[in-house]
Amino acid sequence: RDLHSFPTRRSSDLLVVNVSPDLSAEQNGKKAEVKDLLKYNFRENEDPVYGLDDQILMIEKLFNNQWNSEKRSRIVYIQGIGGIGKSTLAKAYAENNKYNYDIIMEVSATSAKDAIILMETSIPEHVQYQAKLQRIASVCTKQKVLLIVHDYNQPQDDTYGDFYTLGCDILLTGWFDRTLLGVKTLQMETNDGSDQAKLSSAAEIFRANYLTS
């Protein structure tokens, strides 16, 4: 199907950005390549979200402070315990900025490699990962792409540098503190130091270290 047939949808549908009908053939070809390769799977928050304006503005500033001329990804990490609203905030940022991107995607993964593999839909399985990475990156540099990676909870990720190769905006969510690693971070904190909050954090640490493959 031509990309013109995909309208911008509400929260119950997949988000696909409209393509103007007066685009050149070359531009339409690039759009078609993106449509065929990458997944359009962003869903807005089901219920209205209030009170996140300051955090959304901070995410925008963290992205804008990472300008460079090498077509490397800009990465922002939302850190906080389970249930505090990291994914809700990530989606709220995407909703507020959806007209700044051609493509908005979301996956759940504990490594850059897993997230990148989940981005594509048409590359044959026998193609080596590095070849897949380069092909996806070549598409990302032609369009404005936002990738949201939920539950990025692996303390050590040997493939983290591959995120930068993509050349897009990447919003990560997880509990692990990555500030010492130089990752631009927005920290979400609970309003109290309750035992329940501590238990939630401990449970996430246990799942990440013992229940993930």
Side-chain angles (χ1 to χ4, degrees):
R1 297 174 61 184
D2 185 82
L3 196 56
H4 300 302
S5 62
F6 289 87
T8 302
R9 302 181 182 275
R10 303 298 299 173
S11 59
S12 60
D13 299 310
L14 304 183
L15 174 66
V16 181
V17 179
N18 292 321
V19 179
S20 173
D22 60 354
L23 289 175
S24 67
E26 179 182 1
Q27 288 173 313
N28 276 323
K30 292 179 179 179
K31 293 285 186 178
E33 180 183 3
V34 172
K35 178 180 75 69
D36 291 339
L37 184 67
L38 302 181
K39 292 182 178 180
Y40 298 88
N41 66 347
F42 171 69
R43 292 181 181 273
E44 298 181 359
N45 287 305
E46 294 182 359
D47 300 314
V49 178
Y50 305 100
L52 296 179
D53 292 348
D54 289 344
Q55 291 95 324
I56 292 172
L57 181 60
M58 179 58 68
I59 293 173
E60 293 173 358
K61 289 181 177 178
L62 290 172
F63 272 132
N64 291 334
N65 288 339
Q66 296 180 65
W67 180 89
N68 63 61
S69 60
E70 299 178 359
K71 289 293 184 180
R72 286 167 57 86
S73 295
R74 303 186 302 178
I75 302 175
V76 173
Y77 178 58
I78 302 175
Q79 180 206 351
I81 63 173
I84 201 170
K86 300 183 296 294
S87 292
T88 299
L89 175 57
K91 286 175 174 287
Y93 166 81
E95 292 168 23
N96 276 39
N97 290 273
K98 61 186 177 183
Y99 297 113
N100 295 329
Y101 297 100
D102 297 308
I103 305 167
I104 302 178
M105 308 168 60
E106 55 183 344
V107 300
S108 180
T110 57
S111 73
K113 180 177 181 179
D114 289 344
I116 291 166
I117 289 174
L118 289 171
M119 290 176 70
E120 54 84 15
T121 60
S122 63
I123 302 177
E125 292 185 2
H126 68 268
V127 176
Q128 295 295 316
Y129 167 68
Q130 286 299 323
K132 290 185 178 183
L133 171 62
Q134 293 303 319
R135 181 173 174 185
I136 294 171
S138 70
V139 174
C140 286
T141 55
K142 297 173 183 176
Q143 301 294 313
K144 295 179 180 179
V145 178
L146 171 65
L147 171 64
I148 302 174
V149 183
H150 302 287
D151 303 318
Y152 184 67
N153 292 324
Q154 194 68 265
Q156 294 185 337
D157 177 12
D158 294 336
T159 62
Y160 177 80
D162 291 345
F163 276 139
Y164 288 104
T165 303
L166 291 176
C168 63
D169 283 355
I170 301 175
L171 197 51
L172 309 172
T173 74
W175 59 263
F176 185 69
D177 188 346
R178 302 180 190 275
T179 53
L180 294 179
L181 302 177
V183 182
K184 300 294 184 181
T185 301
L186 185 151
Q187 294 179 317
M188 299 186 70
E189 298 180 355
T190 181
N191 291 328
D192 58 70
S194 65
D195 290 339
Q196 184 61 42
K198 296 175 183 177
L199 285 172
S200 178
S201 180
E204 285 201 353
I205 294 173
F206 177 81
R207 285 195 295 269
N209 285 281
Y210 300 102
L211 300 183
T212 58
S213 56

